[in-house]
């Protein structure tokens, strides 16, 4: 129960990596607020916590979420979207939407988090990037750009807020969630996902384990880092 007595907020918590992270933090003793554009009440029930509806790309919505959440020890921003599209076919609206949710959303959640975390000692802010920020991939230009932006944001915030708030990112490799399914990705793109040294995709729990580490006492000397649980797809 290494997070006993702590309060955490996780966005993108209705499913996938966000839901697994909310559960991992709750199992470690934290009181967890689960926020999402969709209904996060299943995660809230599983964690004995509260669900909040939020659109992370919207300034007013994010401000309202932090008003409800109150003081926090840990914030994880896992909300994100992905649109696969050849660059020459991508509309400006599709490009802007991915930047708005993935990058502006990270900025807005970070701003709210940095205020909510400040009064409570060594707060932890964890942003979710992607292995594709490092690797790049055809037909995912906006997504790759948005996630590379998250890594830059992480480094800048780590400089600005150390030592009071530690800011780190996770750049997951392919993970078994709705984002990595035929609903959102082509068969060709999905086929690339097992091409890492471990030859498989990861589970949401394996990404949540990295978030739990960054939220816990073991990461007390770590800021500005991007950890890559990716089956070895990314080696830095
Ligand atoms: N699954 C992967 O292979 C993979 C790999 C690298 C990075 N990621 C990143 O991990 C994070 C979690 O993704 P996932 O794989 O669990 O996908 P997912 O699609 O299962 O979950 C994403 C969640 O974000 C929520 N969301 C989307 N837009 C939102 C908004 N505007 N405001 C609030 N919530 C919003 C969705 O409702 C959903 O619950 C994302 O940032 C994603 O880019 C995923």
């Amino acid at each position: 129960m290494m997070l006993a007595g702590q309060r955490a907020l996780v966005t993108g918590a209705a499913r996938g990596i966000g839901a697994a992270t909310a559960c991992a933090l709750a199992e470690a003793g934290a009181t967890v607020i689960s926020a999402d554009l969709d209904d996060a009440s299943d995660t809230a029930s599983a964690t004995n916590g509260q669900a909040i509806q939020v659109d992370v790309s919207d300034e007013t919505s994010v401000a309202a979420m932090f008003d409800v959440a109150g003081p926090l020890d840990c914030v994880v921003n896992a909300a994100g979207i992905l649109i696969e599209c050849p660059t020459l076919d991508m509309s400006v609206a599709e490009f802007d939407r991915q930047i708005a949710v993935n990058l502006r959303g990270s900025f807005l959640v970070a701003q709210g988090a940095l205020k909510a975390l400040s009064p409570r000692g060594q707060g932890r802010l964890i942003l979710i990037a992607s292995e594709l920020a490092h690797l790049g991939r055809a037909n995912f230009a906006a997504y790759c750009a948005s996630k590379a932006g998250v890594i830059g944001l992480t480094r800048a915030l780590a400089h600005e807020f150390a030592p009071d708030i530690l800011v780190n990112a996770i750049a997951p490799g392919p993970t078994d969630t709705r984002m990595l399914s035929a609903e959102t990705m082509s068969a060709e793109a999905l086929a690339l996902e097992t091409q890492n040294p471990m030859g498989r995709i990861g589970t949401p729990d394996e990404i949540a384990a990295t978030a739990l580490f960054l939220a816990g006492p073991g990461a007390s000397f770590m800021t500005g880092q991007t950890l890559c649980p990716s089956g070895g797809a990314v080696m830095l």
Side-chain angles (χ1 to χ4, degrees), residues 14-232:
R15 60 176 194 253
I17 290 169
T21 299
C23 291
L25 298 178
E27 274 163 31
T31 299
V32 178
I33 298 160
S34 296
D36 203 290
L37 191 60
D38 283 349
D39 181 9
S41 55
D42 283 353
T43 310
S45 308
T47 55
N48 266 334
Q50 184 184 358
I52 298 180
Q53 213 260 337
V54 69
D55 178 351
V56 297
S57 69
D58 182 89
E59 188 177 2
T60 308
S61 179
V62 172
M65 171 180 74
F66 281 105
D67 280 348
V68 173
L72 295 163
D73 302 283
C74 174
V75 173
V76 182
N77 185 47
I81 58 167
L82 168 150
I83 302 172
E84 178 182 358
C85 186
T87 298
L88 295 182
D89 297 336
M90 183 173 288
S91 67
V92 172
E94 284 172 324
F95 180 88
D96 284 350
R97 186 66 194 148
Q98 288 176 87
I99 298 294
V101 176
N102 297 348
L103 185 52
R104 189 207 300 157
S106 295
F107 168 73
L108 291 174
V109 170
Q111 258 192 342
L114 292 162
K115 291 177 203 154
L117 292 168
S118 320
R120 290 178 61 101
Q122 198 190 52
R124 305 295 171 92
L125 171 60
I126 301 164
L127 302 176
I128 306 295
S130 167
E131 63 165 3
L132 295 188
H134 294 298
L135 301 175
R137 182 143 304 162
N139 304 333
F140 292 94
Y143 183 78
C144 292
S146 70
K147 294 299 189 173
V150 170
I151 293 175
L153 180 68
T154 300
R155 291 181 180 141
L157 297 177
H159 277 289
E160 198 172 333
F161 291 92
D164 299 331
I165 298 171
L166 307 185
V167 186
N168 292 290
I170 302 172
T175 310
D176 188 12
T177 69
R178 194 184 299 177
M179 186 174 279
L180 199 82
S181 71
E183 242 178 86
T184 49
M185 285 169 69
S186 66
E188 295 75 25
L190 287 171
L192 289 176
E193 297 295 354
T194 48
Q195 292 180 14
N196 59 54
M198 290 181 67
R200 68 170 176 87
I201 64 172
T203 66
D205 286 345
E206 288 176 309
I207 312 305
T210 305
L212 182 59
F213 164 70
L214 288 173
S220 59
F221 195 45
M222 186 169 279
T223 196
Q225 305 303 305
T226 300
L227 301 185
C228 303
S230 65

